[in-house]
Amino acid sequence: MSDSSELHKASPSNVRITAAPPSRDHDVQIQYRTLSLHVDSLVEGKQQTGGTNAADPASAIRQIDVHRLSVNEVYTRFSTSPTVGLEGDAVVRRAKAGKNVISPPPTQYWKKAANYIFGGFNFLMWIAFIVTILSYEPLGAPDPAAFNLGVAVLLLLVIIISATFYALVDWHASRIMNSIKTLIAENASVIRDGNHQTILAKDLVVGDLVTLSMGDRVPADLRLVQVSSDVRFDRSLLTGESDMIPGTVDITAENALETRNLALTSTFVVQGSCTGVVFAIGDKSVMGRIVAMSSTNKLKLTTVQREIWFFTKIISTIALGLFCVALIAWAAWLRTSYPGFETASQAIVNSIGCLTAFVPQGLPVCVALSLTIVAKRMAKRNVLVKNLATIETLGCMSVLCSDKTGTLTVGKMSVQNVAFLDAEFQVDDLKERTLAEGAPTAPPSLVPLHMIARLCNGAKFDSATADLPVEERTVKGDATDTAVLRFAEDLHIPSLDVSSDTLLGDYHKFFEIPFNSKNKWMLSAVRKRDSGVDLMPEIWVLVKGAPDVLFRKCTSVLKADGMEVPMTPNVRSAIFGLQERWSGEGQRVLALCRRSLSEVGIEPDMSGNDLEELMYAQMRGLTLVGLVGIRDPPRPDVPDAVKTIRRAGVRIFMVTGDFKLTALAIARQVGIVTQEKVDTLQDMRSSSSVKRFQNTKPQFIKPTDEDGDRALVLTGDDIETLEEADWNLVLGNYTELVFARTTPEQKLRIVEQTKARGDNTVAVTGDGVNDAPALKASDIGVAMGSGSDVAKEAAAMILLNNDFTSIVVAIEMGRLVFDNLKKVIIYLMPAGSYSEFITVFCNTFLGMQLALSSYLQVCFSITNDVVMSISLMYEQAEADLMLRKPRNARTDRLTNWQFFFQVYLFIGLMMWPCAMSMWFLYMKQQGLGFYDVLLVYNKWTDGLKGYSLDQLTRFVNTGQCIYYVTLVFMQYGGLLAVRNRRVSILQSNPLWGPRRNLVVPIGMTATALIAVVNLYGPGLQDAFDTTPIPGMFWGIPFGFALGILTMDEIRKLLVRTYPNSVIARMAW
């Protein structure tokens, strides 16, 4: 078949291959199931074939017939080879059809634009804009006020600025998501020209021979041609079902979506290994067709957004209600009782103050900008978060379940020791002894040990690096297999004819059971290539795995000289003692075993399932050849990071598949376990506190400060026996926990049980396929940048540099963003909401002229306040930020009663009287007393105290500007006061020291310049009746700012001095 005819079914378009976004998972699953049903109906209703639309996805998928072909027919159709793969010329020709990329669904920009324009507080601004226009025309006829038109233009400008900002934030968030997507499914392992190669997934072509192993994401639609007996796929992204789907070579269903001999794009290999031929790429893949069908993106609010939205709804409801009350009060009372006090146009404009004054227009902008700034900070520290909710949730982390290998340890394993029954060798010494002239003969048992290490191994070298030294070659496989592979490849003993090249030439591996977390061993069956015509073929079963599992299956053991002796209890005890000693030193210990199957009848055409059954049946009577000790040292910076995290009140649990003593040794080295005495399950059940949590609600089951630190180590076998009461003790009594020899199911159970108690926010680190269920179930899944695609998909956060210390940064940033958000809101509300609203209240209900015009209200909220609050977003962490206990996400809210007390009964209660006093002081200087200004209503007209209406209007304009300037400079004190929750400004000023924040003086300068422009700008004076003010009113507000700062300093001093006082309990 020609290349063009092969490729017409799989022409892609040019976009990076990726799964649908997380928010669209359910949509993908629904479309998948719908397609499957449609395909079934088409398969059953053959008569529809002629009339189907070629563009219909169900019809197109029905045309897939590759799953019905035999393996040889697959190779023939796609002109590829099981050993050579595609040749270079064929790849070049087929690549012209396009890249293996999926086009994203079309974005509904009109919906996004509507959300930008009408979202947040903008819908209130639209109401204000419309009624302001109405107050200009027609309600302002016959002489409409230019001021009203100016306010309307300003409101429209506010809407445009806010909408533009929301769009920019959304664009930045999409850039972060795109950077994360590039981490997933980048590469594919293929066979081309007879060589194993790693290429970009987007460069795959139809006919490529792709090899997949545990943890890989399927990069294109594949027809499986070779599978291991235990290969399993995770299709949950498509089906929504968590069950693992086995892979087969033979067809299992006519429906291409249901058959198990196809591996579909963006599913995962969660167990085993397989090889497949690419039959569809890009938009022609099943996932590509589903994405094309799924054209809607659902809005999903983050935790912070939900809380801010709730706050917005409350404020907006109150503001809208007060606006209506003000209008009703004018229509039903003021218009009749005080005729001439306000015209309809004036009443509307003044009532708009309820919307513009009570609503802090800058709040959504500040919140979005704050989260964006922190996300960028985290990205610079090599921490990528998938959504803004993750940032805020990080500050709540109370338990961290950490994997060991590659997270707490370097992840670069190397074989350090080799031992037989009667001899123990260090690898470096062994190499020197065997290579030196006149050296004693190497122990003969190294021959079978080398055979097992090299042939029973799931890792393999990349052929592109075959010419490099062993230590520099690229290896595809997990860290343990990689270490054993490098050891075996580097072991060369001429006297014993030990050589990897010779070994690989002599033996053929015909069956394999890859390592999995349940068995905890790997098995390879090998046959000698030439055993002679009349001789039985030499067949060996080679097994490598956990000693405590394999010891039970061994009946004999080798000495260093090759002599085989029975595995007696004394021998078993001696070997077990060696394992414990190595494990106590932090080494991972593997047992290498073998058994001859030369006398067992193995037919050449035996099926994979039959071979698997046979191998499981023969997993007995093994000979223990030897032990290898693998060292993976802790990362040098982990102990300090663990200390910092624990000091922040976060408990760290080690959850690993390693042997108990190995796990405990590493836990001691990094500081997860600090206690000399470490309890076991039996110790816990026999302790005096066994009934401590008998009648305690789950949210209160957690250790207290009075309990002190206690350590506990549990194995997977222990976990299987735990009941609810046991879990209460485990999670309520102990701060230092090590879970060893755990399976993925047990790790998931640990996470679920921990989340169910103590109001815990649980984070889980992991990098392997086995970690994915726990990562997804946790509140915060943390994947390593070098981890599997499955882990990255399940995680909420990715550590690009695999650095455990980045978690410290993440916790600090999570707490910092919550702190800074709270500071921003507390800064904005007293002046930008409370003090502005008082002027509208006095105007509407107390008959006073408006002390702050609508223009100055909006201008203050959207310019002065935002410019100043930006500096709070750049605040560094307070000294005690990482000393506080984690925030309880259920009970500790962003806004609580302490927050409202600080806003309305402390800072706000100082601000508005000070600003109002400046209004009355100026009026007093003009000869207008308190009651000449208050309760005046319609008496504010010609002749009041001998003034003309123009003079009175000028007094009001000047008084409004004085009120505005007073708010501007009082906010200096408000800003400096809110920078610290407890610490004095003397220890944390913004100009120098650890809390230096030069954005603060820049913001202060900018807000002062805005005030000057507002008062002295000729165009603004004409449009909005602003005017210069007397010099004394520029200076007095600084005294108010100092007073506010001083009062807050006194409050902080009392809080620090009397931490248990009423004032301390009222502190935010």
Side-chain angles (χ1 to χ4, degrees), residues 735-951:
T735 56
E736 302 177 349
L737 282 163
V738 173
F739 297 95
R741 280 285 188 253
T742 57
T743 64
E745 293 79 5
Q746 290 167 344
K747 188 170 184 177
L748 176 62
R749 188 179 176 193
I750 291 166
V751 172
E752 291 173 341
Q753 293 289 346
T754 306
K755 286 176 64 177
R757 292 167 175 79
D759 278 341
N760 286 314
T761 298
V762 181
V764 173
T765 69
D767 56 1
V769 179
N770 297 334
D771 299 317
L775 287 170
K776 204 158 193 174
S778 67
D779 297 297
I780 313 160
V782 183
M784 301 296 137
S786 62
S788 67
D789 290 340
V790 187
K792 292 175 190 171
E793 181 73 22
M797 184 174 80
I798 300 174
L799 306 182
L800 298 182
N801 57 356
N802 306 321
D803 191 353
F804 185 81
T805 58
S806 297
I807 297 176
V808 178
V809 175
I811 296 173
E812 185 175 359
M813 290 295 107
R815 294 185 177 192
L816 180 62
V817 74
F818 187 82
D819 250 23
N820 287 352
L821 279 180
K822 204 158 193 172
K823 290 173 182 177
V824 165
I825 298 174
I826 289 178
Y827 165 78
L828 290 174
M829 295 298 288
S833 174
Y834 192 17
S835 299
E836 289 186 2
F837 174 73
I838 288 295
T839 65
V840 181
F841 177 83
C842 291
N843 170 255
T844 303
F845 298 101
L846 298 181
M848 187 181 80
Q849 293 298 301
L850 198 63
L852 190 67
S853 69
S854 298
Y855 163 73
L856 291 175
Q857 289 173 6
V858 176
C859 183
F860 180 83
S861 294
I862 204 66
T863 59
N864 298 87
D865 258 356
V866 171
V867 165
M868 287 272 279
S869 63
I870 286 174
S871 63
L872 290 174
M873 303 170 202
Y874 288 94
E875 281 295 328
Q876 300 298 318
E878 295 189 36
D880 67 337
L881 184 67
M882 292 296 284
L883 299 177
R884 304 176 200 163
K885 289 184 178 180
R887 184 174 68 86
N888 188 320
R890 186 179 65 86
T891 59
D892 298 339
R893 311 304 304 176
L894 187 63
T895 54
N896 50 26
W897 70 269
Q898 292 98 332
F899 163 87
F900 288 108
F901 182 89
Q902 180 78 6
V903 168
Y904 293 116
L905 298 180
F906 188 64
I907 300 293
L909 204 54
M910 290 186 283
M911 279 192 173
W912 77 258
C914 289
M916 197 62 76
S917 69
M918 291 295 94
W919 161 268
F920 282 108
L921 175 60
Y922 174 73
M923 294 300 176
K924 181 66 175 176
Q925 290 178 348
Q926 312 311 312
L928 297 172
F930 183 78
Y931 288 106
D932 296 325
V933 179
L934 200 65
L935 302 174
V936 176
Y937 297 106
N938 57 350
K939 297 175 187 175
W940 192 269
T941 184
D942 280 315
L944 180 66
K945 289 291 185 175
Y947 291 112
S948 67
L949 184 58
D950 287 342
Q951 289 175 310

Side-chain angles (χ1 to χ4, degrees), residues 402-411 413 582-589 630-635 638-639 642 652-656 658-674 713 737-738 740 804:
S402 177
D403 191 19
K404 179 181 76 68
T405 304
T407 305
L408 298 173
T409 60
V410 175
M413 297 186 176
W582 281 2
S583 297
E585 296 169 358
Q587 295 186 63
R588 173 175 288 184
V589 185
I630 302 173
R631 187 177 296 279
D632 183 15
R635 293 177 181 271
V638 165
V642 168
I652 303 178
F653 301 168
M654 179 189 283
V655 186
T656 178
D658 254 350
F659 185 60
K660 177 173 70 174
L661 293 179
T662 305
L664 190 57
I666 297 295
R668 288 190 185 278
Q669 291 175 32
V670 299
I672 291 177
V673 172
T674 60
V713 60
L737 282 163
V738 173
F804 185 81

